[in-house]
């Protein structure tokens, strides 16, 4: 089931961020752009490479007005232990949400029911709390966080410029399209 165009369901969860335990809810996804990055488990192999890569893009994402959240079915306590012991994860400054109840993972439809773990799902959420983009990868395929930057710029452009759309490989400042009867069949 696609979540595109749907508002994030109400939730509350415990999280770890910069040495503190905090509470996060769907209200955190309102008023600014958000990226939610689900991953299978702490203390694994592909996951720390992805989360470190996401941290490397975090300053750029923050400059775009985006907040980042990672989520696994581990607890916020496990996130802290991993943060304290992994050189890659120790760099993370964004919020790490614990979802041991699997409610959030299930709500985003990325729960592997057999394993009880999250799949590799990435979601871009607009300031209204509505999902604008999503990508789900198989367990063995790590994600490239740099691709998020252009997707977010495109989503922000389309939101701020009704009637225009961004074509494939669109870059900020390049030409957009204005769908109309005159454009049909001419691309």
């Amino acid at each position: 089931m696609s979540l595109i165009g749907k508002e994030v369901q109400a939730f509350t969860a415990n999280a770890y961020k910069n040495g503190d335990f905090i509470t996060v809810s769907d209200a955190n996804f309102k008023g600014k752009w958000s990226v939610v990055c689900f991953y299978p488990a702490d203390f694994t192999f592909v996951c720390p490479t992805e989360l470190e890569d996401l941290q490397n893009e975090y300053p750029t994402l923050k400059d775009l007005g985006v907040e980042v959240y990672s989520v696994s079915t581990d607890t916020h306590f496990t996130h802290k232990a991993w943060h304290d012991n992994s050189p890659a994860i120790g760099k993370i400054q964004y919020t790490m949400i614990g979802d041991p109840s699997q409610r959030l993972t299930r709500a985003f439809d990325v729960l592997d029911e057999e394993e009880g773990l999250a799949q590799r799902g990435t979601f871009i959420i607009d300031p209204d709390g509505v999902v604008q983009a999503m990508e789900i990868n198989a367990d063995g395929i790590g994600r490239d966080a740099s691709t998020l930057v252009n997707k977010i710029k495109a989503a922000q452009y389309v939101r701020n410029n009704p009637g225009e759309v961004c074509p494939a490989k669109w870059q900020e400042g390049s030409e957009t399209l204005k769908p109309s009867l005159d454009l049909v069949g001419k691309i």
Side-chain angles (χ1 to χ4, degrees):
M1 171 177 99
S2 175
L3 296 178
I4 301 297
K6 295 192 171 69
E7 191 169 345
V8 173
Q9 294 179 19
F11 77 92
T12 301
N14 292 315
Y16 176 75
K17 182 175 184 177
N18 295 329
D20 292 315
F21 292 130
I22 61 172
T23 301
V24 177
S25 75
D26 52 296
N28 291 91
F29 297 167
K30 299 221 173 145
K32 63 182 164 299
W33 289 85
S34 302
V35 166
V36 182
C37 179
F38 289 86
Y39 64 96
D42 292 1
F43 294 100
T44 56
F45 313 101
V46 175
C47 299
T49 66
E50 291 184 308
L51 298 181
E52 180 181 29
D53 184 47
L54 189 56
Q55 174 58 44
N56 292 340
E57 295 296 332
Y58 188 52
T60 302
L61 293 168
K62 291 285 285 182
D63 287 345
L64 293 171
V66 178
E67 190 50 65
V68 173
Y69 303 87
S70 63
V71 184
S72 76
T73 56
D74 296 294
T75 67
H76 57 298
F77 299 113
T78 307
H79 291 335
K80 181 192 183 314
W82 196 25
H83 193 273
D84 290 350
N85 289 287
S86 166
I89 299 306
K91 298 174 187 175
I92 292 177
Q93 297 174 0
Y94 53 79
T95 303
M96 301 178 75
I97 299 174
D99 187 32
S101 68
Q102 303 172 341
R103 284 188 195 110
L104 188 57
T105 307
R106 190 172 275 116
F108 276 84
D109 201 25
V110 291
L111 179 65
D112 179 332
E113 297 281 350
E114 268 186 41
E115 298 291 326
L117 302 174
Q119 296 171 325
R120 294 186 194 289
T122 307
F123 298 82
I124 297 173
I125 301 167
D126 72 18
D128 298 320
V130 175
V131 176
Q132 293 299 321
M134 60 185 272
E135 178 182 17
I136 301 171
N137 291 3
D139 283 348
I141 303 170
R143 293 163 282 186
D144 178 352
S146 68
T147 63
L148 283 171
V149 173
N150 281 337
K151 285 182 188 178
I152 289 165
K153 286 180 180 180
Q156 290 175 339
Y157 184 89
V158 169
R159 179 181 172 93
N160 294 327
N161 296 277
E164 294 184 47
V165 296
C166 297
K169 296 188 177 186
W170 179 84
Q171 298 286 319
E172 187 174 33
S174 63
E175 195 172 317
T176 59
L177 301 172
K178 292 183 182 180
S180 68
L181 185 59
D182 294 337
L183 194 57
V184 174
K186 296 186 177 143
I187 299 175

